[in-house]
Amino acid sequence: MRKATIRCSFLAFVLCWMSYTVLLYGQHVGTITGTVVDATTREGLPAANVRIDGTALGTATDAEGRFRIPNIPPGSFTIIISYIGYETQRLPVSIAAGSTVNLLIRMKPSIIEGEEVVVTALLEGQQRAINQQLTSNTIVNVVSSDRIRELPDQNAAESLGRLPGISVERSGGEGQKVIVRGLSPKFNSITVNGERLPATEGNDRSVDLSAISPDVIAGIEVFKALTPDKDGDAVGGTVNLVVRKAPEGMRTDLRWQYGFNNQEREFGQYRGSISASDRFFDHALGVMVTGSIQRATRSSDLLTADYVFKSDNQGVGMLEIDNLNLADRLERRDRWGVSLAVDKDLLGGNVLLSTFLSRTDRKEITRRKRYRVGSFTVEYDIRDREVATVLLSNTLSGKHQWGVFEFDWQGSYSRSKQLQPFSHYARFQEVGGFKDGLVDDQGPTVIPQYARNDLSSTWFQYATFNPASTLDADLTGQLNVKIPFRLVDYVAGFVKVGAKHRDKNRERDVTEYRTPFGEVGRIGRENPGKYTMYRNTEILIENFLDRSFKAERFLNGQYDFPVGLHKDLLSDFYATYRSRYMLNRFLELEDYTAGEGITGAYFMSEINIGEKLMILPGIRYERTKNDYRGNFGQLQGNLGENGAIRDTVGGQSYEEWLPMVHLRYKIVPGLDVRLAFTRTLSRPDYFNLVPFVRINYAEQIYDRGNPHIKHTKARNYDVFLSTYNEYGLATLGGFYKTLDDIDYIKTIRLVGGEFNAFTLTEPTNGARSKVYGFEIDLQTNFRFLPSPFDGIVLNANYSRIWSETFFPYFEIVRRPPTFRATPLDTVRAGRVPGQADHIANVSLGYEKGGFTGRISMVYQGASLRTVGQRSELDGYSNASYRWDLTVSQKIYKGTGLFLNVNNLSNQPEDAYLGRVSYPTREEFFGWTADLGFRYTF
């Protein structure tokens, strides 16, 4: 407490001293404001560098190309405006005490060998990203709006996966979540215009980005080294989706495409977007509306396998297949989104209302054949479900100038919902599923040869209906004050302070209704003649077969999948006998509600010494208080019908001081070095904190939460070297992170006491982990080459990442001299889950005479997918290459045609256990092609 008081007193002293300095000299200085635009298009150029020659005074333009430089002493100066790809301008300016000079600066594209360069769409997108990275006071990667439009990405996660150090978790063949620098999605924050998006998953804090169409966002920023004015809970980085306000003039952009899916060999995919904007009342009021709609087929052929670890007579360990599953997935995703930005210029500032809404509806039918090698049975099942993911973000913000003080404030309400209103599952089991009751495990391709495939002995075992919902809502308010200062001409900058509070409310409701043991057979016997029966006791599978079902070329022709269940017939079964489905009370123990309040405050300063050195020191304070309500139950019976369920509550509070410092030094023109040290944190997964207890005596399972689990603390070190000129940007960066108290799930076998031989699962904290690596990024063009080669644009990056963390390791050993069974509860080292060792992206584009073409490749190395109880049972995602192609041709003015082809090589999603020779997942999605047009006016 004493240390906190000293820190606060020191910050208050510094703030008061800076305020006094500014007020004392404010009346004797002047200000330069203005807008930097493209000389041809009149569009504002964001992130242009504007500085006063011979001083430390300068700034970068905002998203609309506007800038403001205060605290300029009276006199005559030269203002220098630079922007990669454009000619640098030097303008004389005279400043009088207390005056404000407003400038309109028109920038012309660079001239190479006597000819002015035409700024094409590819070149413009690259230039915007480069300039924003160079003018930032931290380490950031950018996907510009132009590049988002030119790449054939299905959603925001796919676009992010092309940046250095970022890999993608996929679902249904498209990007779902992002892994920044080897750290899983829960360690990263996702924001819209700086405001946090609530998590969409039921148990952790990650956000499903597949619900967000790239058509409704104007850019993406990835901050890899945080500054104190950003939320401190982002160990990997902060991903900010930008929704910008309306530019000058009436503008409309219409885009539509129609496509083909090779996996299902069908047309029917489409995607469309429209945006319109204008400014009214002498440009003081701006309105921008964007909407998008998309239908995509995400069907696949799928193989999954589970293994068991066994020892032979000589004690040599080996893996054997326990379950082999073949599945045919039919999935359709309908995605739509809208965004609205209304801004009003006021005297000395502006106000912006931004609304962002996106929804994805998934309809999925999965038919599966399961070979249970361990129990010598064969099963057929089907799952028919609907899932909706909804993201909403409403933000009201303002920026105001009061004398020398700059204020900005923001209030927001964000909400995410993941709903599963319908999910029906049915399972059928074949009696004596394997020939002679024996299976020789020679790998996945051989096991189906031992199956009998006798449908006349396959009966309806049970069915479930499983609705679920997860709701997460954030209410946030913040205020920031920025005070510019100038000590002498060569020392200037600003002081910034602010405070923020976020209230979070979260609810999870999981329900399952299941036919009790033997209930399906009773239904059949009670309705004689309605169903064909097996030995007059059980309902046969033939009552529910889909005779028209075909799964051609299943898994590229490696397997046959001849039998499919009829979803409508089984849905009718549920509709008719839903009263016979009983509540599975074990699932009730997974419900919870949670509340979380986070209060933050910070102090930071940017100090510019001359034209070369920038130092940004600061500190952030965050206090977290949360409360949780879960369920406690010791249940017995097939569906937990015996035993009581009681509420249980818990919570915790803690605070953290997060010091940060950034340094940028311009060694020579075109060569910068950046250093950063930051402290950040990550809060535990929601469900890990819930004080639930679930005891299943039938299966000897003991699960419980841990409301006292600690949050993760991280130290982050970054160094980046950048070189740049009119032809592009090259960066080389390294990072090193240490993480204390990572939370993970620990599973052990209890020995002795009431729960002897029970499997205990509970969250716990791990030892110190580390993640480190380097990134190489190249963004360049070939304008220096003679025509027609001057239309080439290249983007390429490579990342190498290493990590080490510790997982629970538990086994029963026999120790001399008594050789009694003794539990060994310890840890073992391994990679951080989700961390790919190699990540590479290459995108080669060409634009000339209205033609644009781009081919791109994404490579993602092998990564740890699941953690087993021993290293032999660890699961890995296999390395993968993915190729995409897009070409377009302008027809007339703003009209053009384009063709997108995704996953050209039909790259499957593979996973394995320990070694590639033990596959656990192989899923093919096929390639897709879309033909469309774009009209801009």
Side-chain angles (χ1 to χ4, degrees):
M1 187 70 183
R2 177 179 173 80
K3 291 182 178 180
T5 303
I6 294 174
R7 289 188 183 113
C8 291
S9 300
F10 174 73
L11 297 180
F13 169 76
V14 173
L15 178 62
C16 292
W17 177 75
M18 289 294 184
S19 301
Y20 170 77
T21 302
V22 169
L23 291 173
L24 180 63
Y25 293 101
Q27 57 186 332
H28 302 295
V29 296
T31 301
I32 297 177
T33 63
T35 306
V36 180
V37 300
D38 183 289
T40 303
T41 65
R42 300 288 194 260
E43 290 188 2
L45 295 177
N49 187 28
V50 184
R51 62 184 177 87
I52 297 178
D53 192 23
T55 73
L57 297 170
T59 188
T61 58
D62 63 14
E64 287 74 45
R66 299 175 181 176
F67 69 91
R68 181 177 184 273
I69 305 176
N71 289 334
I72 305 173
S76 297
F77 302 93
T78 298
I79 184 171
I80 301 175
I81 307 96
S82 59
Y83 192 87
I84 296 294
Y86 285 75
E87 294 181 359
T88 298
Q89 291 202 31
R90 304 172 65 91
L91 302 177
V93 178
S94 295
I95 300 294
S99 68
T100 297
V101 176
N102 188 56
L103 301 174
L104 176 62
I105 302 166
R106 298 179 175 88
M107 302 289 286
K108 296 181 179 180
S110 301
I111 294 177
I112 298 178
E113 296 183 359
E115 293 186 8
E116 184 177 288
V117 174
V118 177
V119 182
T120 62
L122 293 181
L123 194 59
E124 184 176 8
Q126 186 184 76
Q127 289 173 350
R128 286 178 183 267
I130 290 173
N131 281 281
Q132 190 168 343
Q133 290 174 213
L134 290 176
T135 57
S136 174
N137 56 15
T138 183
I139 297 170
V140 62
N141 293 121
V142 178
V143 184
S144 68
S145 58
D146 309 274
R147 194 176 182 198
I148 290 174
R149 299 293 184 269
E150 78 193 32
L151 291 169
D153 296 325
Q154 299 293 319
N155 56 54
E158 295 281 3
S159 299
L160 282 162
R162 302 182 186 275
L163 292 175
I166 297 181
S167 54
V168 176
E169 283 188 2
R170 296 185 177 276
S171 171
E174 64 176 344
Q176 182 182 34
K177 302 175 184 178
V178 292
I179 299 168
V180 180
R181 290 178 163 178
L183 292 169
S184 66
K186 73 174 185 177
F187 288 110
N188 309 309
S189 66
I190 309 296
T191 63
V192 174
N193 279 4
E195 284 304 318
R196 191 72 169 260
L197 278 179
T200 56
E201 297 304 302
N203 290 332
D204 64 27
R205 296 177 180 266
S206 62
V207 177
D208 182 357
L209 288 170
S210 68
I212 301 175
S213 169
D215 296 319
V216 298
I217 55 180
I220 306 175
E221 305 163 332
V222 182
F223 296 96
K224 294 180 176 177
L226 300 187
T227 50
D229 54 349
K230 294 180 174 61
D231 292 340
D233 53 342
V235 178
T238 293
V239 176
N240 185 43
L241 310 178
V242 180
V243 180
R244 291 195 177 127
K245 55 187 183 181
E248 298 289 341
M250 174 66 183
R251 305 189 185 190
T252 303
D253 192 321
L254 175 64
R255 182 186 180 109
W256 182 261
Q257 63 190 58
Y258 187 77
F260 174 79
N261 179 276
N262 169 255
Q263 174 68 23
E264 295 302 312
R265 294 188 176 182
E266 67 177 17
F267 288 92
Q269 294 192 146
Y270 58 80
R271 175 175 161 186
S273 66
I274 184 171
S275 65
S277 65
D278 201 358
R279 302 200 69 85
F280 308 92
F281 305 112
D282 197 22
H283 309 291
L285 176 68
V287 180
M288 185 170 187
V289 182
T290 303
S292 71
I293 186 171
Q294 179 184 18
R295 169 167 292 182
T297 299
R298 305 310 310 161
S299 302
S300 66
D301 296 340
L302 171 66
L303 176 150
T304 61
D306 301 315
Y307 296 79
V308 293
F309 183 81
K310 294 183 178 180
S311 298
D312 60 14
N313 295 331
Q314 286 75 40
V316 178
M318 66 183 67
L319 291 174
E320 293 184 359
I321 290 182
D322 189 44
N323 294 309
L324 173 67
N325 307 295
L326 303 178
D328 177 83
R329 292 180 60 257
L330 299 175
E331 182 178 348
R332 188 184 73 196
R333 296 189 179 184
D334 290 311
R335 180 182 294 121
W336 59 267
V338 294
S339 67
L340 170 67
V342 180
D343 68 280
K344 179 66 169 66
D345 289 340
L346 304 173
L347 184 62
N350 61 75
V351 176
L352 171 66
L353 172 64
S354 175
T355 297
F356 174 90
L357 175 63
S358 185
R359 175 175 178 133
T360 296
D361 291 293
R362 299 169 52 187
K363 293 186 177 181
E364 176 191 335
I365 304 169
T366 300
R367 297 175 172 91
R368 182 174 61 174
K369 187 173 183 179
R370 170 178 287 181
Y371 302 88
R372 288 188 178 271
V373 180
S375 58
F376 306 108
T377 58
V378 174
E379 296 171 350
Y380 301 81
D381 58 33
I382 183 173
R383 181 177 67 176
D384 179 15
R385 70 169 182 167
E386 299 175 4
V387 179
T389 303
V390 184
L391 290 171
L392 170 68
S393 177
N394 290 305
T395 303
L396 181 64
S397 60
K399 294 182 179 181
H400 308 281
Q401 188 74 34
W402 181 55
V404 295
F405 294 92
E406 299 177 19
F407 297 88
D408 68 85
W409 54 270
Q410 201 164 40
S412 70
Y413 174 73
S414 300
R415 184 178 67 184
S416 72
K417 294 193 297 184
Q418 189 168 84
L419 307 174
Q420 182 174 273
F422 182 87
S423 179
H424 189 242
Y425 172 83
R427 174 181 292 179
F428 296 77
Q429 186 177 94
E430 181 180 347
V431 178
F434 290 98
K435 302 171 184 177
D436 302 322
L438 298 174
V439 181
D440 185 8
D441 182 4
Q442 300 178 31
T445 58
V446 178
I447 286 175
Q449 299 176 13
Y450 291 89
R452 295 171 58 89
N453 300 315
D454 183 8
L455 298 183
S456 64
S457 300
T458 304
W459 55 283
F460 195 167
Q461 189 178 16
Y462 70 90
T464 66
F465 182 73
N466 182 211
S469 66
T470 300
L471 307 178
D472 202 332
D474 290 353
L475 184 62
T476 307
Q478 65 175 328
L479 174 65
N480 304 297
V481 182
K482 182 177 177 181
I483 308 171
F485 67 85
R486 180 183 61 85
L487 302 182
V488 293
D489 286 350
Y490 286 93
V491 181
F494 64 80
V495 171
K496 189 177 181 182
V497 296
K500 182 177 183 178
H501 182 77
R502 181 171 77 236
D503 268 327
K504 175 183 289 295
N505 290 286
R506 185 178 178 87
E507 298 178 6
R508 186 186 183 205
D509 183 16
V510 181
T511 307
E512 181 183 90
Y513 299 95
R514 176 186 291 250
T515 55
F517 180 77
E519 187 68 18
V520 175
R522 283 190 287 271
I523 292 174
R525 294 192 297 273
E526 292 171 6
N527 295 273
K530 185 174 182 179
Y531 300 105
T532 303
M533 304 292 289
Y534 173 71
R535 296 181 179 177
N536 296 318
T537 59
E538 304 291 344
I539 298 177
L540 275 173
I541 191 175
E542 69 175 62
N543 296 279
F544 300 96
L545 292 178
D546 187 345
R547 308 293 179 181
S548 63
F549 171 80
K550 291 182 180 180
E552 299 176 344
R553 303 176 297 111
F554 187 78
L555 286 171
N556 270 3
Q558 299 178 74
Y559 299 87
D560 291 327
F561 198 97
V563 176
L565 292 161
H566 203 298
K567 75 175 188 71
D568 293 334
L569 294 178
L570 285 162
S571 295
D572 291 342
F573 180 88
Y574 168 72
T576 304
Y577 302 108
R578 60 189 305 172
S579 62
R580 309 287 287 268
Y581 288 57
M582 302 294 292
L583 179 66
N584 183 357
R585 298 179 72 227
F586 287 113
L587 270 293
E588 296 293 291
L589 299 177
E590 297 187 9
D591 295 345
Y592 68 87
T593 60
E596 185 173 72
I598 302 171
T599 301
Y602 70 90
F603 168 88
M604 61 180 281
S605 177
E606 182 180 296
I607 305 169
N608 295 288
I609 303 175
E611 299 177 0
K612 291 187 174 183
L613 179 62
M614 185 280 297
I615 304 174
L616 193 157
I619 190 167
R620 184 175 183 87
Y621 166 82
E622 287 197 359
R623 184 177 187 275
T624 304
K625 182 178 182 181
N626 55 46
D627 58 85
Y628 294 84
R629 180 181 296 273
N631 292 324
F632 172 90
Q634 299 187 29
L635 305 180
Q636 301 185 43
N638 182 247
L639 299 178
E641 58 270 24
N642 300 319
I645 296 178
R646 302 191 302 271
D647 287 346
T648 178
V649 298
Q652 60 175 241
S653 62
Y654 51 88
E655 59 183 25
E656 282 288 342
W657 289 91
L658 306 172
M660 306 179 191
V661 60
H662 296 253
L663 183 147
R664 183 185 66 209
Y665 183 73
K666 297 182 179 180
I667 303 172
V668 294
L671 183 63
D672 294 354
V673 63
R674 297 169 188 251
L675 304 173
F677 166 75
T678 58
R679 284 286 305 274
T680 54
L681 62 89
S682 177
R683 298 179 175 88
D685 288 341
Y686 293 109
F687 198 51
N688 288 357
L689 283 163
V690 176
F692 76 95
V693 175
R694 177 174 56 204
I695 303 175
N696 186 332
Y697 285 89
E699 300 181 16
Q700 291 190 306
I701 294 176
Y702 190 137
D703 296 340
R704 66 188 180 197
N706 183 0
H708 304 295
I709 197 168
K710 299 177 183 178
H711 60 285
T712 301
K713 282 79 69 177
R715 291 177 172 85
N716 313 282
Y717 306 87
D718 292 270
V719 55
F720 264 70
L721 185 68
S722 303
T723 178
Y724 51 91
N725 55 29
E726 64 267 30
Y727 302 118
L729 167 72
T731 61
L732 171 63
F735 60 91
Y736 185 88
K737 298 174 180 288
T738 61
L739 293 82
D740 294 316
D741 296 322
I742 288 181
D743 57 309
Y744 61 86
I745 301 298
K746 181 177 182 179
T747 301
I748 63 174
R749 179 79 67 172
L750 296 176
V751 178
E754 177 185 356
F755 301 106
N756 182 53
F758 274 59
T759 299
L760 172 65
T761 300
E762 66 175 344
T764 188
N765 289 114
R768 172 167 290 187
S769 303
K770 57 185 178 182
V771 181
Y772 56 96
F774 65 86
E775 302 170 357
I776 302 173
D777 186 24
L778 176 65
Q779 304 177 57
T780 188
N781 60 77
F782 293 82
R783 295 182 297 170
F784 56 87
L785 294 177
S787 183
F789 304 105
D790 56 344
I792 299 174
V793 176
L794 174 67
N795 291 274
N797 59 70
Y798 169 75
S799 304
R800 180 69 169 99
I801 304 174
W802 296 267
S803 68
E804 183 182 50
T805 190
F806 298 92
F807 307 116
Y809 180 79
F810 183 87
E811 67 175 349
I812 302 296
V813 298
R814 296 184 180 276
R815 300 183 184 276
T818 62
F819 290 95
R820 289 181 179 177
T822 304
L824 176 63
D825 187 2
T826 182
V827 296
R828 61 182 176 87
R831 278 200 284 172
V832 171
Q835 176 248 309
D837 46 5
H838 301 274
I839 305 171
N841 291 272
V842 178
S843 179
L844 184 64
Y846 182 81
E847 189 162 14
K848 200 78 170 176
F851 171 81
T852 302
R854 181 185 286 271
I855 187 166
S856 54
M857 183 277 293
V858 177
Y859 172 77
Q860 191 166 306
S863 62
L864 182 63
R865 181 187 179 100
T866 58
V867 179
Q869 293 190 29
R870 53 192 306 144
S871 59
E872 295 89 344
L873 299 177
D874 286 346
Y876 294 85
S877 294
N878 204 359
S880 64
Y881 291 91
R882 183 184 178 95
W883 291 87
D884 302 307
L885 171 71
T886 180
V887 294
S888 65
Q889 178 64 55
K890 291 183 180 178
I891 305 301
Y892 177 73
K893 291 185 178 179
T895 305
L897 298 175
F898 61 87
L899 171 69
N900 295 331
V901 184
N902 291 81
N903 196 18
L904 274 166
S905 56
N906 189 20
Q907 173 68 47
E909 294 182 11
D910 296 343
Y912 57 90
L913 203 65
R915 297 199 303 266
V916 179
S917 56
Y918 295 106
T920 57
R921 186 180 188 88
E922 186 176 11
E923 190 166 13
F924 286 85
F925 295 91
W927 53 266
T928 61
D930 301 280
L931 181 65
F933 73 90
R934 183 178 182 183
Y935 180 49
T936 304
F937 60 93

